[in-house]
Amino acid sequence: MRRSALVPATALISVSDVVTLKERGKYQGILGAFVALANSLGPILGGLFTQKASWRWCFWINLPLSALSLLVIIVLLPLRRVKGGIVGKLKAIDWYGSVLTITWAVLVLLGLSWAGNEYPWASAAVLAPLIIGLALLGVFLLVEWKLVALPLVPLRIFRNSTVAAGMAATLFSGMIFYSTLYYLPTYFQIVRGASPIRSGVLILPLVCVQTVTSFSSGLLVSKTGDYWWNLVFGFAIWTVGCGLLSTFTEDTSLGEIVGFQIIYGVGAGQTFQTSLVAIQASVERKEMATATGFRNFLRMLGGTLALTICSTIVNNISRTRIRQAGLSDDQVDLILSDPTATSDLGLTQAQRLEVTRAYGGCDGLRGRPDTDNSAHAIRSCFYFLIPCSAICLLLTVFFIKRVSLKREDDAAKKAEAKAWVDSKKSKKDSRHDSSTPGDAPDSRRPSATTSDATAHDPAHVEAENSISKKVEGALEDAGREEAEAAGVGSSERAPVVK
């Protein structure tokens, strides 16, 4: 993956903290659109660096981009400090759950990646990490349920069917998306002989449509307050799109490639942010950050699992088919390690054709009845993704419920946030007014004396009184808004939140 799992999770948590649930679809749609745009530019830039410079630039480019992102965060993102010392915050972290999660995930992924490639499925090298990893997963669930005061994943949130189904759908949607993002350019390069740059261009219809749909679906959810229909139609169209991609061969026309990707992108774009809104609407405000972070973890985990599974599928099918072409084991291993470099191995035209058919195959319905249609390695990955998308659709239809996107305390929280921003501005203006050249504080005086002088400064006292009045007025306005929304008259007004 080209991104750290921490960055998108933190960005989504920040959005959920500063935007009301009803408006969140719009802003998360904007965020998802930028992510999709980055996914569209990534393959093109990666192909450009690989073909024109060095593949190492695919990693070096992250250094200036990360520095620019850090600068933007420091300058523009407001920070509301959390009370408490660093030691207390570190003690509150669920270290047991974190270590167990890393351990069981690594062991399971190792077993899946070795299976059929390095060792046989029935070997101890495959079974041992799989069994131990699954056992540690059970220990992790027990620890989160019984032993930890502040668990990494509070299991009580899964009592809600919408949350449980939304998390499961996120796992499967991560499997679909990341597998497609990896193996579609692989198909373009191996089967159709496209260069790295052209393969990045050919995938643009999918990611561009997905970018637009991600934003428009978020905007639609904000306007209507209903996410359910977006998810239903999105997963239904996505299932059809996966089925269409599974028909790709070396004879597929450019129009079909573009059109099938557009259908796929329309379905995928409608589900990414709306599924998160459904989960956030179904948990309490205090659990929203945890649910958002775990949802992103499952999406990344799904992608990692699917890439491991698809790699096993591709290598096993390709190895069997390529060996039929009379190649040596060393040649087969070289092809599997880098299928795009077959032209450098001195293969005959017939052998190169067999390699292409092993990965992409030909459609027997298009005049090639002698082709073994079960030996299409990359197409078999898309066959695997079709039921994954269908499961997401079934989970949505039967388990995800409609939940109102309006919370009772939205107006009060918005007022508190506005008052906090105003207080920051007032304090800044107060310090600016009191720090004149003639009254500049002596840097050699003790800090306690300086603080005491500031506390008795008339301008500082006036600013504090002004802030207090603004907060009280904002909260009173919030109480009146809630009362009017509930239909309460002036003689029976809702109590002011304090």
Side-chain angles (χ1 to χ4, degrees):
M1 312 289 173
R2 292 177 304 279
R3 299 171 295 153
S4 166
L6 178 63
V7 174
T10 307
L12 290 171
I13 291 172
S14 301
V15 171
S16 66
D17 279 346
V18 300
V19 179
T20 62
L21 191 58
K22 190 174 187 301
E23 298 174 342
R24 201 167 297 160
K26 175 175 63 178
Y27 289 96
Q28 288 179 347
I30 296 173
L31 185 62
F34 277 100
V35 171
L37 181 62
N39 288 333
S40 66
L41 294 177
I44 298 177
L45 291 177
L48 183 64
F49 292 146
T50 301
Q51 191 170 342
K52 300 297 183 181
S54 169
W55 60 266
R56 290 182 173 85
W57 271 103
C58 297
F59 300 93
W60 289 340
I61 192 64
N62 291 313
L63 296 177
L65 293 178
S66 299
L68 179 61
S69 301
L70 182 62
L71 179 63
V72 170
I73 291 172
I74 294 174
V75 174
L76 299 180
L77 186 65
L79 175 62
R80 189 170 188 175
R81 299 187 182 278
V82 179
K83 295 181 180 179
I86 184 65
V87 176
K89 294 175 183 177
L90 289 175
K91 288 182 178 179
I93 296 176
D94 179 11
W95 295 105
Y96 297 110
S98 301
V99 173
L100 284 171
T101 299
I102 294 173
T103 305
W104 73 256
V106 169
L107 288 173
V108 170
L109 292 174
L110 279 177
L112 291 175
S113 61
W114 286 341
N117 295 320
E118 301 293 333
Y119 307 99
W121 274 93
S123 65
V126 172
L127 295 179
L130 286 177
I131 294 173
I132 296 174
L134 293 176
L136 289 178
L137 173 59
V139 174
F140 165 76
L141 295 176
L142 180 62
V143 168
E144 299 297 287
W145 180 32
K146 291 290 187 180
L147 302 181
V148 182
L150 190 61
L152 190 69
V153 182
L155 300 182
R156 61 180 176 273
I157 66 176
F158 293 98
R159 297 172 185 170
N160 187 302
S161 64
T162 299
V163 175
M167 293 293 188
T170 297
L171 178 70
F172 285 109
S173 64
M175 297 173 71
I176 304 166
F177 175 71
Y178 287 109
S179 296
T180 305
L181 201 62
Y182 181 84
Y183 279 103
L184 199 55
T186 302
Y187 156 79
F188 290 139
Q189 293 185 51
I190 299 176
V191 179
R192 301 187 67 87
S195 65
I197 297 177
R198 180 167 173 77
S199 66
V201 173
L202 287 174
I203 203 175
L204 280 179
L206 187 155
V207 289
C208 289
V209 171
Q210 177 191 308
T211 301
V212 176
T213 310
S214 177
F215 171 71
S216 61
S217 62
L219 186 62
L220 185 62
V221 169
S222 295
K223 293 293 185 181
T224 63
D226 189 352
Y227 52 79
W228 192 81
W229 283 110
N230 280 79
L231 289 174
V232 171
F233 283 119
F235 283 125
I237 297 172
W238 203 358
T239 304
V240 174
C242 289
L244 293 174
L245 293 188
S246 70
T247 65
F248 281 0
T249 68
E250 70 264 36
D251 298 326
T252 303
S253 67
L254 183 61
E256 289 175 319
I257 291 175
V258 173
F260 293 170
Q261 287 188 82
I262 289 175
I263 295 174
Y264 181 102
V266 169
Q270 289 189 71
T271 64
F272 284 165
Q273 303 307 319
T274 48
S275 60
L276 178 58
V277 173
I279 292 172
Q280 291 179 339
S282 304
V283 299
E284 297 181 15
R285 190 183 295 274
K286 63 181 180 180
E287 296 171 336
M288 198 172 296
T290 302
T292 302
F294 187 65
R295 179 257 186 189
N296 269 44
F297 166 76
L298 286 179
R299 188 162 179 245
M300 294 292 182
L301 178 63
T304 306
L305 285 172
L307 287 175
T308 304
I309 294 171
C310 288
S311 175
T312 302
I313 293 173
V314 168
N315 288 342
N316 288 342
I317 294 177
S318 300
R319 185 187 300 273
T320 302
R321 181 63 184 264
I322 293 173
R323 280 176 175 170
Q324 298 176 2
L327 300 177
S328 65
D329 290 340
D330 291 338
Q331 288 177 312
V332 172
D333 291 337
L334 288 174
I335 292 173
L336 293 179
S337 63
D338 186 7
T340 62
T342 54
S343 58
D344 302 329
L345 300 179
L347 303 181
T348 64
Q349 181 66 28
Q351 289 174 331
R352 284 199 296 269
L353 180 60
E354 285 300 319
V355 172
T356 300
R357 289 180 177 179
Y359 280 94
C362 310
D363 195 342
L365 298 178
R366 299 189 183 190
R368 308 235 181 152
D370 57 334
T371 300
D372 180 8
N373 288 312
S374 64
H376 306 157
I378 296 178
R379 292 175 63 184
S380 297
C381 292
F382 293 115
Y383 295 152
F384 164 71
L385 300 180
I386 295 172
C388 292
S389 184
I391 290 173
C392 293
L393 176 60
L394 295 176
L395 288 171
T396 301
V397 172
F398 292 107
F399 296 103
I400 293 183
K401 311 299 181 185
R402 290 185 177 90
V403 180
S404 175
L405 300 185
K406 293 182 179 180
R407 295 187 184 268
E408 296 179 356
D409 60 346
D410 277 345
K413 292 294 183 181
K414 187 182 291 186
E416 289 179 12
K418 185 177 184 302
W420 178 76
V421 173
D422 291 340
S423 70
K424 296 278 286 185
K425 292 180 179 178
S426 299
K427 288 180 180 179
K428 184 177 180 180
D429 294 340
S430 173
R431 288 195 298 267
H432 178 73
D433 294 338
S434 61
S435 299
T436 58
D439 300 330
D442 190 351
S443 60
R444 295 169 295 177
R445 297 172 66 185
S447 58
T449 306
T450 304
S451 301
D452 183 68
T454 305
H456 291 86
D457 182 64
H460 179 79
V461 173
E462 183 180 355
E464 291 290 340
N465 293 335
S466 175
I467 294 168
S468 178
K469 290 179 181 179
K470 286 182 179 180
V471 173
E472 292 179 0
L475 293 177
E476 289 177 1
D477 292 340
R480 283 194 293 270
E481 290 177 5
E482 291 182 2
E484 292 173 0
V488 181
S490 59
S491 62
E492 193 181 9
R493 184 167 296 164
V496 176
V497 179
K498 293 198 175 182

